[in-house]
Amino acid sequence: MHDPSLTLEGFRAELAECLFLSADEVDLEESPLDAGLDSLRIVTLLERWQAAGVNVTFVELAERTTFAQWWELLTARQRGAGHADA
């Protein structure tokens, strides 16, 4: 079961799982497509993050060109979700 709060360590681990790498081999400055992610794997990751309460869409991820940009989006949305409950 995944922790409902997304951490950078967890983010790297999930990317690594889909890329068949170890977490420390994931280069956050790399393009998801250049790294080898296809649309099915991206949707799998997206569903995990949505289940963790992060409101993000496939199109939003596709518009970003690095894993670091994905992380920025996810953390911004995660913080936003926390404030929405207040």
Short mmCIF file of all heavy atoms in Angstrom, two decimals, residues 43-72:
data_model
loop_
_atom_site.label_atom_id
_atom_site.label_comp_id
_atom_site.label_asym_id
_atom_site.label_seq_id
_atom_site.Cartn_x
_atom_site.Cartn_y
_atom_site.Cartn_z
N VAL A 43 0.31 6.62 -17.32
CA VAL A 43 -1.04 6.52 -16.76
C VAL A 43 -1.02 5.73 -15.45
O VAL A 43 -1.71 6.09 -14.49
CB VAL A 43 -2.03 5.89 -17.78
CG1 VAL A 43 -3.34 5.53 -17.13
CG2 VAL A 43 -2.24 6.85 -18.95
N THR A 44 -0.23 4.69 -15.38
CA THR A 44 -0.10 3.91 -14.13
C THR A 44 0.40 4.80 -13.00
O THR A 44 -0.16 4.78 -11.89
CB THR A 44 0.85 2.72 -14.34
OG1 THR A 44 0.31 1.87 -15.35
CG2 THR A 44 1.05 1.93 -13.06
N LEU A 45 1.44 5.58 -13.27
CA LEU A 45 1.96 6.50 -12.26
C LEU A 45 0.91 7.55 -11.89
O LEU A 45 0.69 7.84 -10.71
CB LEU A 45 3.22 7.19 -12.78
CG LEU A 45 4.46 6.31 -12.90
CD1 LEU A 45 5.52 7.01 -13.74
CD2 LEU A 45 4.99 5.94 -11.52
N LEU A 46 0.26 8.09 -12.90
CA LEU A 46 -0.76 9.10 -12.69
C LEU A 46 -1.87 8.58 -11.77
O LEU A 46 -2.30 9.27 -10.84
CB LEU A 46 -1.33 9.53 -14.04
CG LEU A 46 -2.42 10.58 -14.04
CD1 LEU A 46 -1.91 11.89 -13.50
CD2 LEU A 46 -2.95 10.76 -15.46
N GLU A 47 -2.31 7.37 -12.01
CA GLU A 47 -3.36 6.78 -11.17
C GLU A 47 -2.90 6.62 -9.73
O GLU A 47 -3.67 6.84 -8.80
CB GLU A 47 -3.81 5.45 -11.75
CG GLU A 47 -4.60 5.61 -13.03
CD GLU A 47 -4.94 4.30 -13.71
OE1 GLU A 47 -4.35 3.25 -13.36
OE2 GLU A 47 -5.79 4.32 -14.62
N ARG A 48 -1.65 6.25 -9.53
CA ARG A 48 -1.11 6.13 -8.16
C ARG A 48 -1.14 7.49 -7.46
O ARG A 48 -1.52 7.59 -6.30
CB ARG A 48 0.32 5.61 -8.18
CG ARG A 48 0.45 4.18 -8.57
CD ARG A 48 1.90 3.77 -8.54
NE ARG A 48 2.08 2.43 -9.05
CZ ARG A 48 3.26 1.84 -9.16
NH1 ARG A 48 4.36 2.46 -8.81
NH2 ARG A 48 3.34 0.61 -9.63
N TRP A 49 -0.69 8.51 -8.18
CA TRP A 49 -0.63 9.84 -7.58
C TRP A 49 -2.02 10.40 -7.33
O TRP A 49 -2.26 11.03 -6.30
CB TRP A 49 0.21 10.77 -8.45
CG TRP A 49 1.63 10.29 -8.58
CD1 TRP A 49 2.35 9.57 -7.65
CD2 TRP A 49 2.50 10.45 -9.70
NE1 TRP A 49 3.60 9.29 -8.13
CE2 TRP A 49 3.73 9.81 -9.38
CE3 TRP A 49 2.37 11.06 -10.94
CZ2 TRP A 49 4.81 9.79 -10.25
CZ3 TRP A 49 3.46 11.05 -11.80
CH2 TRP A 49 4.66 10.43 -11.45
N GLN A 50 -2.94 10.14 -8.22
CA GLN A 50 -4.32 10.57 -8.00
C GLN A 50 -4.93 9.85 -6.79
O GLN A 50 -5.64 10.46 -5.99
CB GLN A 50 -5.17 10.35 -9.25
CG GLN A 50 -4.82 11.31 -10.38
CD GLN A 50 -5.52 10.98 -11.68
OE1 GLN A 50 -5.93 9.84 -11.91
NE2 GLN A 50 -5.63 11.97 -12.56
N ALA A 51 -4.62 8.56 -6.65
CA ALA A 51 -5.12 7.80 -5.50
C ALA A 51 -4.54 8.34 -4.19
O ALA A 51 -5.17 8.24 -3.14
CB ALA A 51 -4.77 6.32 -5.66
N ALA A 52 -3.36 8.94 -4.28
CA ALA A 52 -2.73 9.55 -3.10
C ALA A 52 -3.28 10.95 -2.85
O ALA A 52 -2.85 11.64 -1.93
CB ALA A 52 -1.22 9.60 -3.28
N GLY A 53 -4.24 11.39 -3.68
CA GLY A 53 -4.89 12.67 -3.46
C GLY A 53 -4.31 13.84 -4.22
O GLY A 53 -4.66 14.98 -3.95
N VAL A 54 -3.42 13.56 -5.19
CA VAL A 54 -2.81 14.63 -5.97
C VAL A 54 -3.62 14.81 -7.25
O VAL A 54 -3.69 13.90 -8.08
CB VAL A 54 -1.33 14.32 -6.29
CG1 VAL A 54 -0.72 15.47 -7.07
CG2 VAL A 54 -0.55 14.06 -5.00
N ASN A 55 -4.24 15.97 -7.40
CA ASN A 55 -5.09 16.24 -8.55
C ASN A 55 -4.23 16.74 -9.71
O ASN A 55 -3.89 17.91 -9.79
CB ASN A 55 -6.15 17.28 -8.19
CG ASN A 55 -7.13 17.52 -9.31
OD1 ASN A 55 -7.26 16.70 -10.21
ND2 ASN A 55 -7.79 18.65 -9.28
N VAL A 56 -3.87 15.82 -10.59
CA VAL A 56 -3.03 16.13 -11.75
C VAL A 56 -3.54 15.31 -12.92
O VAL A 56 -4.10 14.23 -12.74
CB VAL A 56 -1.54 15.85 -11.42
CG1 VAL A 56 -1.30 14.40 -11.15
CG2 VAL A 56 -0.62 16.36 -12.50
N THR A 57 -3.36 15.84 -14.13
CA THR A 57 -3.86 15.15 -15.32
C THR A 57 -2.72 14.68 -16.21
O THR A 57 -1.59 15.17 -16.11
CB THR A 57 -4.77 16.07 -16.16
OG1 THR A 57 -3.98 17.13 -16.72
CG2 THR A 57 -5.92 16.63 -15.32
N PHE A 58 -3.04 13.78 -17.11
CA PHE A 58 -2.07 13.28 -18.08
C PHE A 58 -1.52 14.43 -18.93
O PHE A 58 -0.32 14.52 -19.18
CB PHE A 58 -2.72 12.22 -18.97
CG PHE A 58 -1.77 11.61 -19.96
CD1 PHE A 58 -1.02 10.50 -19.62
CD2 PHE A 58 -1.61 12.14 -21.23
CE1 PHE A 58 -0.14 9.92 -20.52
CE2 PHE A 58 -0.73 11.58 -22.14
CZ PHE A 58 0.01 10.46 -21.77
N VAL A 59 -2.39 15.32 -19.37
CA VAL A 59 -1.97 16.44 -20.21
C VAL A 59 -0.98 17.33 -19.47
O VAL A 59 0.03 17.76 -20.04
CB VAL A 59 -3.19 17.26 -20.70
CG1 VAL A 59 -2.76 18.55 -21.39
CG2 VAL A 59 -4.05 16.42 -21.63
N GLU A 60 -1.24 17.57 -18.19
CA GLU A 60 -0.31 18.40 -17.40
C GLU A 60 1.06 17.75 -17.32
O GLU A 60 2.08 18.44 -17.42
CB GLU A 60 -0.87 18.65 -16.00
CG GLU A 60 -2.07 19.56 -16.02
CD GLU A 60 -2.77 19.64 -14.69
OE1 GLU A 60 -2.90 18.60 -13.99
OE2 GLU A 60 -3.19 20.75 -14.34
N LEU A 61 1.10 16.45 -17.14
CA LEU A 61 2.40 15.77 -17.13
C LEU A 61 3.05 15.84 -18.51
O LEU A 61 4.25 16.10 -18.61
CB LEU A 61 2.23 14.31 -16.70
CG LEU A 61 1.83 14.06 -15.25
CD1 LEU A 61 1.64 12.57 -15.01
CD2 LEU A 61 2.84 14.64 -14.28
N ALA A 62 2.28 15.63 -19.56
CA ALA A 62 2.82 15.63 -20.91
C ALA A 62 3.41 16.99 -21.30
O ALA A 62 4.33 17.06 -22.11
CB ALA A 62 1.74 15.22 -21.91
N GLU A 63 2.89 18.04 -20.71
CA GLU A 63 3.39 19.39 -21.01
C GLU A 63 4.74 19.68 -20.36
O GLU A 63 5.40 20.66 -20.73
CB GLU A 63 2.38 20.45 -20.54
CG GLU A 63 1.11 20.45 -21.34
CD GLU A 63 0.05 21.37 -20.78
OE1 GLU A 63 0.12 21.76 -19.60
OE2 GLU A 63 -0.88 21.69 -21.55
N ARG A 64 5.15 18.86 -19.42
CA ARG A 64 6.41 19.07 -18.71
C ARG A 64 7.47 18.12 -19.27
O ARG A 64 7.17 16.98 -19.55
CB ARG A 64 6.19 18.88 -17.22
CG ARG A 64 5.47 20.11 -16.65
CD ARG A 64 4.60 19.81 -15.47
NE ARG A 64 3.98 21.03 -14.98
CZ ARG A 64 2.85 21.54 -15.46
NH1 ARG A 64 2.22 20.94 -16.44
NH2 ARG A 64 2.35 22.66 -14.96
N THR A 65 8.69 18.62 -19.38
CA THR A 65 9.70 17.89 -20.13
C THR A 65 10.73 17.17 -19.28
O THR A 65 11.60 16.48 -19.83
CB THR A 65 10.43 18.84 -21.10
OG1 THR A 65 11.03 19.90 -20.35
CG2 THR A 65 9.47 19.41 -22.13
N THR A 66 10.67 17.29 -17.96
CA THR A 66 11.61 16.56 -17.11
C THR A 66 10.87 15.99 -15.90
O THR A 66 9.81 16.47 -15.51
CB THR A 66 12.75 17.46 -16.57
OG1 THR A 66 12.19 18.45 -15.69
CG2 THR A 66 13.53 18.12 -17.70
N PHE A 67 11.48 14.99 -15.28
CA PHE A 67 10.93 14.45 -14.04
C PHE A 67 10.91 15.51 -12.95
O PHE A 67 10.01 15.54 -12.12
CB PHE A 67 11.74 13.24 -13.57
CG PHE A 67 11.58 12.02 -14.45
CD1 PHE A 67 12.70 11.38 -14.96
CD2 PHE A 67 10.34 11.51 -14.76
CE1 PHE A 67 12.58 10.25 -15.76
CE2 PHE A 67 10.20 10.37 -15.56
CZ PHE A 67 11.33 9.75 -16.05
N ALA A 68 11.90 16.39 -12.94
CA ALA A 68 11.94 17.47 -11.95
C ALA A 68 10.72 18.37 -12.09
O ALA A 68 10.13 18.79 -11.08
CB ALA A 68 13.23 18.28 -12.10
N GLN A 69 10.31 18.64 -13.31
CA GLN A 69 9.11 19.44 -13.52
C GLN A 69 7.86 18.70 -13.07
O GLN A 69 6.92 19.31 -12.55
CB GLN A 69 8.99 19.86 -14.99
CG GLN A 69 10.05 20.87 -15.40
CD GLN A 69 10.01 21.19 -16.88
OE1 GLN A 69 9.33 20.53 -17.67
NE2 GLN A 69 10.76 22.20 -17.27
N TRP A 70 7.85 17.39 -13.26
CA TRP A 70 6.74 16.59 -12.74
C TRP A 70 6.69 16.72 -11.23
O TRP A 70 5.63 16.91 -10.65
CB TRP A 70 6.92 15.11 -13.09
CG TRP A 70 6.57 14.73 -14.48
CD1 TRP A 70 6.39 15.54 -15.56
CD2 TRP A 70 6.35 13.40 -14.95
NE1 TRP A 70 6.08 14.80 -16.67
CE2 TRP A 70 6.05 13.48 -16.33
CE3 TRP A 70 6.40 12.15 -14.35
CZ2 TRP A 70 5.78 12.35 -17.10
CZ3 TRP A 70 6.13 11.03 -15.11
CH2 TRP A 70 5.83 11.13 -16.47
N TRP A 71 7.84 16.62 -10.57
CA TRP A 71 7.90 16.69 -9.12
C TRP A 71 7.41 18.06 -8.62
O TRP A 71 6.66 18.14 -7.66
CB TRP A 71 9.31 16.39 -8.62
CG TRP A 71 9.43 16.52 -7.14
CD1 TRP A 71 10.20 17.41 -6.45
CD2 TRP A 71 8.74 15.75 -6.15
NE1 TRP A 71 10.02 17.23 -5.10
CE2 TRP A 71 9.13 16.23 -4.90
CE3 TRP A 71 7.82 14.71 -6.22
CZ2 TRP A 71 8.64 15.69 -3.70
CZ3 TRP A 71 7.32 14.18 -5.03
CH2 TRP A 71 7.73 14.67 -3.79
N GLU A 72 7.81 19.12 -9.30
CA GLU A 72 7.34 20.46 -8.93
C GLU A 72 5.82 20.54 -9.01
O GLU A 72 5.17 21.08 -8.11
CB GLU A 72 7.96 21.52 -9.85
CG GLU A 72 9.43 21.75 -9.62
CD GLU A 72 10.05 22.65 -10.67
OE1 GLU A 72 9.31 23.34 -11.42
OE2 GLU A 72 11.29 22.66 -10.77
#
